[in-house]
Amino acid sequence: MQYKNVTVIGNGGMGTVCSMILCEKDMDVKMWGYSADELHEMKEARENVKYLPGYPLPASLRLEANAELAFEKADLIVNAVPCQFVRQIFKQLKSSVPDSVPVASVTKGFEKKTLLRPTQILEELLGQRNYVVLSGPTIAEELAKKLPASITAASTNNKAAELVQQAFSCDYLRVYTNNDVLGVELAGAVKNVIAIAAGIIDGIGLGDNAKAALISRGLAEICRLGEKMGARPETFSGLSGLGDLVTTCISSMGRNRGFGERIGKGMSADAALAATESVIEGAATCASVLHLAQNHAIDMPITQAVNSVINGQLTAKQAIHELMTRSLKPE
């Protein structure tokens, strides 16, 4: 089976670039967005002026504000809604979502109140069906430029992962399969927190040695929490682990890194959040990651430091001083 009719939920940068890729592969793609005004603007401009400007939308892409029409004939649904809005959006759409249609999710994070991963939220709302997580080092603008990238399609159902792999693979996007859904989603969530810390390092101007150390120790935090929660250790050395972490920490286009950089240059967390149109997943997820660490008795000092800076309990320089002067221990 090959997918022919795809509904993309969410008109942000990642939802837009997913739609572009699928249209290029001759699928019938409809995009639904929460804001009818934004969809209208996209229809008029034939580009995503707000989230991915400068890249023309495929002529075949349908922008549909009506949920019933958006899901018409769908044999694959792509969830590209920011994590903290997944429950709200899919509650609204639930009555229109066709039964049994698989969902591929590019969403990263943990829900604040429940600490659930995106696919767990979706399963609560939509029931049992095949869920596939797409995750890895994929800056939307680079994909829009058709620069080469690789990602992971993770599912507990190998056939479901393979079908999504086939749907998204093209000459500039290589997709690998994986069955560690927990590990892939967890890595995608926590790396955004580490990226905020990387941005703070850039903002203060602490250099490449400091950032390399941060990425290494940040990966150690991801591994500790993931293994304690039951994920496979090898997942964290793969595309959705180390690969995504490196990209998010070094890319000038990374929203979370950019948010941290503004803090490092002296802005408050609130002001830094207000300075971007996009959702900063790491800021929304940080407290949830810390709760999970506490629930599993895991030490995550970088996550703790980022959370303290976001909450205004420490300045960025104070947080770095605390990290550097912690008691000495083996690596």
Side-chain angles (χ1 to χ4, degrees):
M1 172 189 172
Q2 291 185 333
Y3 296 122
K4 296 180 180 179
N5 297 282
V6 185
T7 300
V8 177
I9 304 301
N11 62 296
M14 202 63 197
T16 300
V17 84
C18 284
S19 299
M20 291 175 169
I21 292 168
L22 297 171
C23 284
E24 284 179 18
K25 298 193 68 179
D26 294 326
M27 296 177 212
D28 290 324
V29 184
K30 304 183 196 73
M31 175 188 285
W32 181 94
Y34 178 76
S35 170
D37 289 340
E38 287 182 7
L39 290 180
H40 178 73
E41 182 181 46
M42 290 171 67
K43 282 182 183 179
E44 291 292 310
R46 291 314 298 178
E47 69 176 60
N48 193 332
V49 177
K50 186 173 182 180
Y51 297 113
L52 197 65
Y55 299 94
L57 298 176
S60 62
L61 176 61
R62 286 177 52 186
L63 302 166
E64 186 56 73
N66 182 297
E68 293 290 338
L69 295 176
F71 285 109
E72 189 176 36
K73 297 182 180 180
D75 52 23
L76 176 67
I77 298 164
V78 177
N79 165 45
V81 177
C83 188
Q84 305 310 320
F85 300 102
V86 168
R87 186 176 298 277
Q88 170 192 336
I89 293 299
F90 278 89
K91 270 186 178 180
Q92 175 182 335
L93 298 176
K94 183 177 179 180
S95 62
S96 302
V97 176
D99 294 337
S100 303
V101 173
V103 178
S105 178
V106 297
T107 299
K108 296 174 181 178
F110 293 104
E111 190 174 38
K112 284 182 179 178
K113 292 183 179 179
T114 65
L115 307 184
L116 294 178
R117 294 176 279 114
T119 57
Q120 292 177 310
I121 304 168
L122 291 166
E123 188 166 9
E124 264 196 10
L125 296 169
L126 304 180
Q128 290 190 349
R129 60 180 72 209
N130 287 327
Y131 295 95
V132 181
V133 180
L134 281 168
S135 188
T138 46
I139 298 293
E141 188 171 343
E142 291 194 2
L143 286 177
K145 291 178 179 177
K146 300 186 181 182
L147 299 178
S150 295
I151 57 171
T152 296
S155 177
T156 56
N157 183 304
N158 290 336
K159 183 61 177 176
E162 289 169 2
L163 287 170
V164 170
Q165 176 187 45
Q166 292 166 15
F168 280 87
S169 292
C170 60
D171 60 1
Y172 59 90
L173 181 61
R174 183 171 176 82
V175 185
Y176 292 83
T177 59
N178 188 313
N179 59 16
D180 183 14
V181 175
L182 166 61
V184 169
E185 285 194 298
L186 184 146
V190 184
K191 63 93 183 180
N192 285 327
V193 177
I194 307 304
I196 294 172
I200 290 172
I201 284 173
D202 287 340
I204 296 176
L206 298 181
D208 293 337
N209 289 339
K211 187 183 278 191
L214 173 83
I215 291 172
S216 299
R217 297 313 302 161
L219 183 61
E221 291 194 11
I222 294 171
C223 291
R224 281 200 298 272
L225 179 60
E227 290 179 39
K228 189 75 171 184
M229 291 180 67
R232 293 207 315 264
E234 58 267 30
T235 296
F236 304 117
S237 61
L239 289 167
S240 60
L242 178 61
D244 205 4
L245 176 65
V246 169
T247 291
T248 312
C249 288
I250 68 173
S251 174
S252 61
M253 294 177 279
R255 296 187 303 271
N256 293 279
R257 193 211 61 82
F259 167 71
E261 183 174 12
R262 289 190 288 274
I263 291 175
K265 288 180 176 178
M267 293 179 71
S268 69
D270 287 343
L273 282 172
T276 179
E277 293 276 7
S278 302
V279 173
I280 307 299
E281 298 97 333
T285 296
C286 189
S288 299
V289 174
L290 198 56
H291 285 146
L292 284 169
Q294 291 165 349
N295 291 346
H296 291 279
I298 298 297
D299 186 29
M300 298 184 73
I302 297 171
T303 303
Q304 175 70 67
V306 172
N307 192 61
S308 295
V309 171
I310 289 173
N311 290 335
Q313 296 164 320
L314 294 174
T315 66
K317 289 183 178 180
Q318 287 171 336
I320 289 165
H321 178 75
E322 288 199 1
L323 286 171
M324 292 301 293
T325 56
R326 296 172 68 237
S327 58
L328 301 178
K329 58 185 68 177
E331 186 179 17

mmCIF file of all heavy atoms in Angstrom, residues 239-291:
data_model
loop_
_atom_site.group_PDB
_atom_site.id
_atom_site.type_symbol
_atom_site.label_atom_id
_atom_site.label_comp_id
_atom_site.label_asym_id
_atom_site.label_seq_id
_atom_site.Cartn_x
_atom_site.Cartn_y
_atom_site.Cartn_z
ATOM 1 N N LEU A 239 19.997 9.240 14.798
ATOM 2 C CA LEU A 239 19.537 10.497 14.208
ATOM 3 C C LEU A 239 18.619 11.275 15.130
ATOM 4 O O LEU A 239 18.716 12.504 15.227
ATOM 5 C CB LEU A 239 18.807 10.200 12.891
ATOM 6 C CG LEU A 239 19.677 9.744 11.727
ATOM 7 C CD1 LEU A 239 18.811 9.179 10.611
ATOM 8 C CD2 LEU A 239 20.532 10.900 11.212
ATOM 9 N N SER A 240 17.700 10.582 15.801
ATOM 10 C CA SER A 240 16.737 11.268 16.661
ATOM 11 C C SER A 240 17.329 11.647 18.009
ATOM 12 O O SER A 240 16.719 12.400 18.771
ATOM 13 C CB SER A 240 15.498 10.394 16.869
ATOM 14 O OG SER A 240 15.863 9.162 17.484
ATOM 15 N N GLY A 241 18.519 11.135 18.312
ATOM 16 C CA GLY A 241 19.208 11.472 19.555
ATOM 17 C C GLY A 241 20.320 12.471 19.303
ATOM 18 O O GLY A 241 20.099 13.678 19.235
ATOM 19 N N LEU A 242 21.528 11.957 19.133
ATOM 20 C CA LEU A 242 22.697 12.823 18.918
ATOM 21 C C LEU A 242 22.529 13.713 17.687
ATOM 22 O O LEU A 242 22.863 14.901 17.717
ATOM 23 C CB LEU A 242 23.957 11.965 18.790
ATOM 24 C CG LEU A 242 25.265 12.710 18.519
ATOM 25 C CD1 LEU A 242 25.582 13.682 19.649
ATOM 26 C CD2 LEU A 242 26.405 11.712 18.329
ATOM 27 N N GLY A 243 22.006 13.136 16.597
ATOM 28 C CA GLY A 243 21.868 13.920 15.365
ATOM 29 C C GLY A 243 21.018 15.162 15.547
ATOM 30 O O GLY A 243 21.414 16.276 15.179
ATOM 31 N N ASP A 244 19.840 14.985 16.134
ATOM 32 C CA ASP A 244 18.938 16.112 16.338
ATOM 33 C C ASP A 244 19.489 17.083 17.366
ATOM 34 O O ASP A 244 19.347 18.306 17.240
ATOM 35 C CB ASP A 244 17.568 15.580 16.785
ATOM 36 C CG ASP A 244 16.431 16.529 16.454
ATOM 37 O OD1 ASP A 244 16.666 17.563 15.808
ATOM 38 O OD2 ASP A 244 15.278 16.231 16.843
ATOM 39 N N LEU A 245 20.145 16.551 18.396
ATOM 40 C CA LEU A 245 20.728 17.404 19.433
ATOM 41 C C LEU A 245 21.785 18.336 18.846
ATOM 42 O O LEU A 245 21.788 19.544 19.123
ATOM 43 C CB LEU A 245 21.344 16.525 20.532
ATOM 44 C CG LEU A 245 22.086 17.261 21.656
ATOM 45 C CD1 LEU A 245 21.133 18.132 22.465
ATOM 46 C CD2 LEU A 245 22.798 16.260 22.566
ATOM 47 N N VAL A 246 22.680 17.800 18.018
ATOM 48 C CA VAL A 246 23.747 18.620 17.435
ATOM 49 C C VAL A 246 23.155 19.727 16.567
ATOM 50 O O VAL A 246 23.513 20.905 16.700
ATOM 51 C CB VAL A 246 24.718 17.739 16.622
ATOM 52 C CG1 VAL A 246 25.676 18.616 15.802
ATOM 53 C CG2 VAL A 246 25.513 16.836 17.551
ATOM 54 N N THR A 247 22.238 19.355 15.676
ATOM 55 C CA THR A 247 21.639 20.360 14.792
ATOM 56 C C THR A 247 20.962 21.469 15.575
ATOM 57 O O THR A 247 21.129 22.658 15.295
ATOM 58 C CB THR A 247 20.623 19.697 13.840
ATOM 59 O OG1 THR A 247 21.335 18.882 12.914
ATOM 60 C CG2 THR A 247 19.831 20.732 13.069
ATOM 61 N N THR A 248 20.187 21.088 16.576
ATOM 62 C CA THR A 248 19.430 22.073 17.339
ATOM 63 C C THR A 248 20.348 22.998 18.135
ATOM 64 O O THR A 248 20.025 24.165 18.345
ATOM 65 C CB THR A 248 18.440 21.371 18.291
ATOM 66 O OG1 THR A 248 17.725 20.384 17.566
ATOM 67 C CG2 THR A 248 17.464 22.351 18.904
ATOM 68 N N CYS A 249 21.495 22.478 18.556
ATOM 69 C CA CYS A 249 22.417 23.280 19.358
ATOM 70 C C CYS A 249 23.312 24.190 18.528
ATOM 71 O O CYS A 249 23.839 25.179 19.049
ATOM 72 C CB CYS A 249 23.289 22.373 20.227
ATOM 73 S SG CYS A 249 22.416 21.599 21.618
ATOM 74 N N ILE A 250 23.502 23.865 17.237
ATOM 75 C CA ILE A 250 24.445 24.663 16.450
ATOM 76 C C ILE A 250 23.780 25.514 15.375
ATOM 77 O O ILE A 250 24.385 26.482 14.902
ATOM 78 C CB ILE A 250 25.529 23.777 15.792
ATOM 79 C CG1 ILE A 250 24.923 22.876 14.706
ATOM 80 C CG2 ILE A 250 26.278 22.972 16.843
ATOM 81 C CD1 ILE A 250 25.969 22.104 13.909
ATOM 82 N N SER A 251 22.561 25.191 14.964
ATOM 83 C CA SER A 251 21.964 25.888 13.832
ATOM 84 C C SER A 251 21.544 27.311 14.193
ATOM 85 O O SER A 251 20.872 27.540 15.201
ATOM 86 C CB SER A 251 20.741 25.122 13.320
ATOM 87 O OG SER A 251 20.081 25.869 12.317
ATOM 88 N N SER A 252 21.882 28.235 13.323
ATOM 89 C CA SER A 252 21.456 29.621 13.516
ATOM 90 C C SER A 252 19.947 29.766 13.323
ATOM 91 O O SER A 252 19.363 30.772 13.724
ATOM 92 C CB SER A 252 22.188 30.537 12.532
ATOM 93 O OG SER A 252 21.879 30.175 11.192
ATOM 94 N N MET A 253 19.318 28.758 12.707
ATOM 95 C CA MET A 253 17.873 28.800 12.467
ATOM 96 C C MET A 253 17.069 28.106 13.554
ATOM 97 O O MET A 253 15.847 28.114 13.525
ATOM 98 C CB MET A 253 17.558 28.171 11.097
ATOM 99 C CG MET A 253 18.100 28.957 9.931
ATOM 100 S SD MET A 253 17.800 28.170 8.328
ATOM 101 C CE MET A 253 19.120 26.963 8.290
ATOM 102 N N GLY A 254 17.745 27.492 14.525
ATOM 103 C CA GLY A 254 17.050 26.777 15.594
ATOM 104 C C GLY A 254 16.337 27.746 16.532
ATOM 105 O O GLY A 254 16.965 28.643 17.106
ATOM 106 N N ARG A 255 15.037 27.556 16.693
ATOM 107 C CA ARG A 255 14.250 28.475 17.542
ATOM 108 C C ARG A 255 14.666 28.402 18.999
ATOM 109 O O ARG A 255 14.764 29.429 19.685
ATOM 110 C CB ARG A 255 12.761 28.148 17.413
ATOM 111 C CG ARG A 255 12.194 28.368 16.027
ATOM 112 C CD ARG A 255 10.691 28.178 16.027
ATOM 113 N NE ARG A 255 10.299 26.870 16.511
ATOM 114 C CZ ARG A 255 10.155 25.789 15.749
ATOM 115 N NH1 ARG A 255 10.397 25.860 14.455
ATOM 116 N NH2 ARG A 255 9.777 24.638 16.258
ATOM 117 N N ASN A 256 14.904 27.189 19.508
ATOM 118 C CA ASN A 256 15.254 27.033 20.915
ATOM 119 C C ASN A 256 16.639 27.608 21.207
ATOM 120 O O ASN A 256 16.832 28.296 22.209
ATOM 121 C CB ASN A 256 15.187 25.555 21.301
ATOM 122 C CG ASN A 256 13.771 25.014 21.256
ATOM 123 O OD1 ASN A 256 12.995 25.199 22.174
ATOM 124 N ND2 ASN A 256 13.415 24.359 20.159
ATOM 125 N N ARG A 257 17.584 27.335 20.312
ATOM 126 C CA ARG A 257 18.916 27.918 20.477
ATOM 127 C C ARG A 257 18.845 29.442 20.406
ATOM 128 O O ARG A 257 19.468 30.147 21.193
ATOM 129 C CB ARG A 257 19.860 27.376 19.394
ATOM 130 C CG ARG A 257 21.345 27.685 19.672
ATOM 131 C CD ARG A 257 22.118 27.860 18.381
ATOM 132 N NE ARG A 257 21.596 28.969 17.602
ATOM 133 C CZ ARG A 257 21.911 30.249 17.818
ATOM 134 N NH1 ARG A 257 22.746 30.584 18.791
ATOM 135 N NH2 ARG A 257 21.377 31.197 17.070
ATOM 136 N N GLY A 258 18.043 29.955 19.473
ATOM 137 C CA GLY A 258 17.897 31.409 19.347
ATOM 138 C C GLY A 258 17.278 32.040 20.584
ATOM 139 O O GLY A 258 17.674 33.137 21.001
ATOM 140 N N PHE A 259 16.301 31.354 21.172
ATOM 141 C CA PHE A 259 15.684 31.817 22.419
ATOM 142 C C PHE A 259 16.734 31.914 23.520
ATOM 143 O O PHE A 259 16.836 32.923 24.235
ATOM 144 C CB PHE A 259 14.566 30.841 22.802
ATOM 145 C CG PHE A 259 14.038 30.991 24.196
ATOM 146 C CD1 PHE A 259 13.263 32.086 24.561
ATOM 147 C CD2 PHE A 259 14.279 30.010 25.154
ATOM 148 C CE1 PHE A 259 12.753 32.207 25.848
ATOM 149 C CE2 PHE A 259 13.779 30.119 26.440
ATOM 150 C CZ PHE A 259 13.009 31.221 26.790
ATOM 151 N N GLY A 260 17.560 30.871 23.646
ATOM 152 C CA GLY A 260 18.619 30.889 24.655
ATOM 153 C C GLY A 260 19.642 31.975 24.401
ATOM 154 O O GLY A 260 20.124 32.626 25.334
ATOM 155 N N GLU A 261 19.959 32.205 23.132
ATOM 156 C CA GLU A 261 20.939 33.242 22.795
ATOM 157 C C GLU A 261 20.449 34.620 23.237
ATOM 158 O O GLU A 261 21.234 35.427 23.750
ATOM 159 C CB GLU A 261 21.216 33.240 21.294
ATOM 160 C CG GLU A 261 22.285 34.238 20.886
ATOM 161 C CD GLU A 261 22.665 34.131 19.421
ATOM 162 O OE1 GLU A 261 21.954 33.440 18.663
ATOM 163 O OE2 GLU A 261 23.674 34.747 19.031
ATOM 164 N N ARG A 262 19.168 34.883 23.041
ATOM 165 C CA ARG A 262 18.631 36.173 23.476
ATOM 166 C C ARG A 262 18.730 36.324 24.988
ATOM 167 O O ARG A 262 19.025 37.417 25.501
ATOM 168 C CB ARG A 262 17.184 36.320 22.989
ATOM 169 C CG ARG A 262 17.082 36.537 21.483
ATOM 170 C CD ARG A 262 15.681 36.907 21.049
ATOM 171 N NE ARG A 262 14.756 35.791 21.123
ATOM 172 C CZ ARG A 262 14.574 34.884 20.162
ATOM 173 N NH1 ARG A 262 15.282 34.954 19.050
ATOM 174 N NH2 ARG A 262 13.705 33.905 20.308
ATOM 175 N N ILE A 263 18.495 35.242 25.708
ATOM 176 C CA ILE A 263 18.660 35.295 27.177
ATOM 177 C C ILE A 263 20.123 35.551 27.529
ATOM 178 O O ILE A 263 20.439 36.363 28.404
ATOM 179 C CB ILE A 263 18.160 33.981 27.813
ATOM 180 C CG1 ILE A 263 16.637 33.865 27.677
ATOM 181 C CG2 ILE A 263 18.566 33.911 29.289
ATOM 182 C CD1 ILE A 263 16.066 32.545 28.158
ATOM 183 N N GLY A 264 21.031 34.855 26.833
ATOM 184 C CA GLY A 264 22.458 35.042 27.094
ATOM 185 C C GLY A 264 22.918 36.461 26.848
ATOM 186 O O GLY A 264 23.863 36.942 27.482
ATOM 187 N N LYS A 265 22.228 37.155 25.933
ATOM 188 C CA LYS A 265 22.587 38.548 25.633
ATOM 189 C C LYS A 265 21.899 39.544 26.563
ATOM 190 O O LYS A 265 22.050 40.751 26.386
ATOM 191 C CB LYS A 265 22.237 38.862 24.183
ATOM 192 C CG LYS A 265 23.177 38.179 23.192
ATOM 193 C CD LYS A 265 22.807 38.504 21.751
ATOM 194 C CE LYS A 265 23.820 37.887 20.791
ATOM 195 N NZ LYS A 265 23.472 38.129 19.371
ATOM 196 N N GLY A 266 21.123 39.024 27.518
ATOM 197 C CA GLY A 266 20.576 39.904 28.537
ATOM 198 C C GLY A 266 19.072 40.052 28.583
ATOM 199 O O GLY A 266 18.542 40.726 29.469
ATOM 200 N N MET A 267 18.342 39.449 27.638
ATOM 201 C CA MET A 267 16.884 39.554 27.660
ATOM 202 C C MET A 267 16.302 38.639 28.730
ATOM 203 O O MET A 267 16.879 37.605 29.070
ATOM 204 C CB MET A 267 16.291 39.170 26.293
ATOM 205 C CG MET A 267 16.622 40.140 25.178
ATOM 206 S SD MET A 267 15.924 39.637 23.573
ATOM 207 C CE MET A 267 14.179 39.943 23.864
ATOM 208 N N SER A 268 15.154 39.027 29.278
ATOM 209 C CA SER A 268 14.436 38.124 30.178
ATOM 210 C C SER A 268 13.825 37.004 29.351
ATOM 211 O O SER A 268 13.668 37.110 28.127
ATOM 212 C CB SER A 268 13.331 38.880 30.913
ATOM 213 O OG SER A 268 12.305 39.256 30.000
ATOM 214 N N ALA A 269 13.454 35.913 30.021
ATOM 215 C CA ALA A 269 12.828 34.793 29.315
ATOM 216 C C ALA A 269 11.525 35.232 28.652
ATOM 217 O O ALA A 269 11.237 34.848 27.510
ATOM 218 C CB ALA A 269 12.582 33.635 30.275
ATOM 219 N N ASP A 270 10.743 36.047 29.345
ATOM 220 C CA ASP A 270 9.464 36.516 28.781
ATOM 221 C C ASP A 270 9.692 37.354 27.535
ATOM 222 O O ASP A 270 8.997 37.205 26.530
ATOM 223 C CB ASP A 270 8.679 37.318 29.820
ATOM 224 C CG ASP A 270 8.086 36.440 30.908
ATOM 225 O OD1 ASP A 270 8.007 35.213 30.706
ATOM 226 O OD2 ASP A 270 7.703 36.988 31.962
ATOM 227 N N ALA A 271 10.674 38.228 27.594
ATOM 228 C CA ALA A 271 10.977 39.075 26.434
ATOM 229 C C ALA A 271 11.519 38.249 25.273
ATOM 230 O O ALA A 271 11.188 38.491 24.110
ATOM 231 C CB ALA A 271 11.985 40.158 26.821
ATOM 232 N N ALA A 272 12.337 37.246 25.603
ATOM 233 C CA ALA A 272 12.893 36.381 24.560
ATOM 234 C C ALA A 272 11.805 35.550 23.895
ATOM 235 O O ALA A 272 11.837 35.320 22.684
ATOM 236 C CB ALA A 272 13.969 35.478 25.154
ATOM 237 N N LEU A 273 10.821 35.108 24.675
ATOM 238 C CA LEU A 273 9.687 34.372 24.103
ATOM 239 C C LEU A 273 8.873 35.264 23.178
ATOM 240 O O LEU A 273 8.429 34.838 22.106
ATOM 241 C CB LEU A 273 8.787 33.826 25.215
ATOM 242 C CG LEU A 273 9.243 32.566 25.945
ATOM 243 C CD1 LEU A 273 8.337 32.286 27.123
ATOM 244 C CD2 LEU A 273 9.264 31.369 24.997
ATOM 245 N N ALA A 274 8.674 36.499 23.601
ATOM 246 C CA ALA A 274 7.861 37.430 22.818
ATOM 247 C C ALA A 274 8.545 37.840 21.518
ATOM 248 O O ALA A 274 7.883 38.338 20.606
ATOM 249 C CB ALA A 274 7.556 38.673 23.654
ATOM 250 N N ALA A 275 9.851 37.595 21.421
ATOM 251 C CA ALA A 275 10.615 38.044 20.257
ATOM 252 C C ALA A 275 10.520 37.098 19.064
ATOM 253 O O ALA A 275 11.141 37.350 18.040
ATOM 254 C CB ALA A 275 12.079 38.233 20.643
ATOM 255 N N THR A 276 9.770 36.014 19.193
ATOM 256 C CA THR A 276 9.625 35.088 18.079
ATOM 257 C C THR A 276 8.161 34.759 17.822
ATOM 258 O O THR A 276 7.351 34.715 18.749
ATOM 259 C CB THR A 276 10.403 33.780 18.329
ATOM 260 O OG1 THR A 276 10.217 32.898 17.227
ATOM 261 C CG2 THR A 276 9.929 33.093 19.592
ATOM 262 N N GLU A 277 7.822 34.538 16.551
ATOM 263 C CA GLU A 277 6.463 34.149 16.171
ATOM 264 C C GLU A 277 6.201 32.679 16.478
ATOM 265 O O GLU A 277 5.072 32.271 16.689
ATOM 266 C CB GLU A 277 6.255 34.386 14.658
ATOM 267 C CG GLU A 277 6.261 35.841 14.244
ATOM 268 C CD GLU A 277 4.912 36.504 14.417
ATOM 269 O OE1 GLU A 277 4.008 35.879 14.986
ATOM 270 O OE2 GLU A 277 4.781 37.658 13.987
ATOM 271 N N SER A 278 7.257 31.869 16.492
ATOM 272 C CA SER A 278 7.110 30.423 16.614
ATOM 273 C C SER A 278 7.071 29.987 18.067
ATOM 274 O O SER A 278 7.500 30.711 18.975
ATOM 275 C CB SER A 278 8.269 29.713 15.898
ATOM 276 O OG SER A 278 8.307 30.083 14.532
ATOM 277 N N VAL A 279 6.575 28.776 18.291
ATOM 278 C CA VAL A 279 6.549 28.190 19.631
ATOM 279 C C VAL A 279 7.951 27.719 20.000
ATOM 280 O O VAL A 279 8.636 27.081 19.201
ATOM 281 C CB VAL A 279 5.562 27.002 19.676
ATOM 282 C CG1 VAL A 279 5.648 26.282 21.013
ATOM 283 C CG2 VAL A 279 4.141 27.484 19.416
ATOM 284 N N ILE A 280 8.393 28.043 21.205
ATOM 285 C CA ILE A 280 9.682 27.566 21.719
ATOM 286 C C ILE A 280 9.405 26.308 22.536
ATOM 287 O O ILE A 280 9.055 26.367 23.718
ATOM 288 C CB ILE A 280 10.377 28.644 22.583
ATOM 289 C CG1 ILE A 280 10.483 29.970 21.813
ATOM 290 C CG2 ILE A 280 11.748 28.161 23.033
ATOM 291 C CD1 ILE A 280 11.291 29.897 20.549
ATOM 292 N N GLU A 281 9.546 25.148 21.897
ATOM 293 C CA GLU A 281 9.150 23.898 22.540
ATOM 294 C C GLU A 281 9.918 23.634 23.832
ATOM 295 O O GLU A 281 9.369 23.137 24.802
ATOM 296 C CB GLU A 281 9.347 22.718 21.576
ATOM 297 C CG GLU A 281 8.500 22.790 20.320
ATOM 298 C CD GLU A 281 9.286 23.363 19.140
ATOM 299 O OE1 GLU A 281 10.240 24.138 19.380
ATOM 300 O OE2 GLU A 281 8.946 23.046 17.998
ATOM 301 N N GLY A 282 11.220 23.963 23.826
ATOM 302 C CA GLY A 282 12.036 23.682 25.002
ATOM 303 C C GLY A 282 11.596 24.445 26.235
ATOM 304 O O GLY A 282 11.652 23.930 27.349
ATOM 305 N N ALA A 283 11.136 25.684 26.034
ATOM 306 C CA ALA A 283 10.669 26.481 27.173
ATOM 307 C C ALA A 283 9.407 25.886 27.771
ATOM 308 O O ALA A 283 9.233 25.854 28.994
ATOM 309 C CB ALA A 283 10.418 27.914 26.737
ATOM 310 N N ALA A 284 8.517 25.402 26.897
ATOM 311 C CA ALA A 284 7.272 24.796 27.372
ATOM 312 C C ALA A 284 7.507 23.430 28.004
ATOM 313 O O ALA A 284 6.756 23.004 28.878
ATOM 314 C CB ALA A 284 6.289 24.670 26.204
ATOM 315 N N THR A 285 8.550 22.747 27.559
ATOM 316 C CA THR A 285 8.803 21.358 27.965
ATOM 317 C C THR A 285 9.717 21.243 29.175
ATOM 318 O O THR A 285 9.703 20.239 29.881
ATOM 319 C CB THR A 285 9.423 20.589 26.771
ATOM 320 O OG1 THR A 285 8.472 20.546 25.715
ATOM 321 C CG2 THR A 285 9.815 19.182 27.137
ATOM 322 N N CYS A 286 10.508 22.265 29.441
ATOM 323 C CA CYS A 286 11.578 22.166 30.437
ATOM 324 C C CYS A 286 11.093 21.674 31.803
ATOM 325 O O CYS A 286 11.660 20.744 32.384
ATOM 326 C CB CYS A 286 12.266 23.516 30.569
ATOM 327 S SG CYS A 286 13.759 23.463 31.568
ATOM 328 N N ALA A 287 10.030 22.282 32.316
ATOM 329 C CA ALA A 287 9.529 21.888 33.635
ATOM 330 C C ALA A 287 9.036 20.445 33.631
ATOM 331 O O ALA A 287 9.213 19.709 34.617
ATOM 332 C CB ALA A 287 8.412 22.834 34.078
ATOM 333 N N SER A 288 8.437 20.008 32.515
ATOM 334 C CA SER A 288 7.949 18.631 32.418
ATOM 335 C C SER A 288 9.110 17.642 32.460
ATOM 336 O O SER A 288 9.022 16.590 33.109
ATOM 337 C CB SER A 288 7.157 18.447 31.120
ATOM 338 O OG SER A 288 6.039 19.302 31.082
ATOM 339 N N VAL A 289 10.186 17.964 31.748
ATOM 340 C CA VAL A 289 11.367 17.096 31.764
ATOM 341 C C VAL A 289 11.921 16.994 33.181
ATOM 342 O O VAL A 289 12.283 15.914 33.657
ATOM 343 C CB VAL A 289 12.448 17.627 30.799
ATOM 344 C CG1 VAL A 289 13.736 16.808 30.918
ATOM 345 C CG2 VAL A 289 11.936 17.594 29.362
ATOM 346 N N LEU A 290 11.952 18.120 33.867
ATOM 347 C CA LEU A 290 12.460 18.123 35.238
ATOM 348 C C LEU A 290 11.577 17.281 36.158
ATOM 349 O O LEU A 290 12.082 16.531 37.011
ATOM 350 C CB LEU A 290 12.541 19.562 35.750
ATOM 351 C CG LEU A 290 13.437 19.809 36.971
ATOM 352 C CD1 LEU A 290 14.852 19.337 36.712
ATOM 353 C CD2 LEU A 290 13.419 21.279 37.334
ATOM 354 N N HIS A 291 10.257 17.357 35.979
ATOM 355 C CA HIS A 291 9.346 16.521 36.773
ATOM 356 C C HIS A 291 9.592 15.041 36.504
ATOM 357 O O HIS A 291 9.598 14.219 37.428
ATOM 358 C CB HIS A 291 7.892 16.877 36.462
ATOM 359 C CG HIS A 291 7.446 18.166 37.077
ATOM 360 N ND1 HIS A 291 6.539 19.008 36.475
ATOM 361 C CD2 HIS A 291 7.796 18.775 38.241
ATOM 362 C CE1 HIS A 291 6.354 20.065 37.239
ATOM 363 N NE2 HIS A 291 7.108 19.948 38.311
#
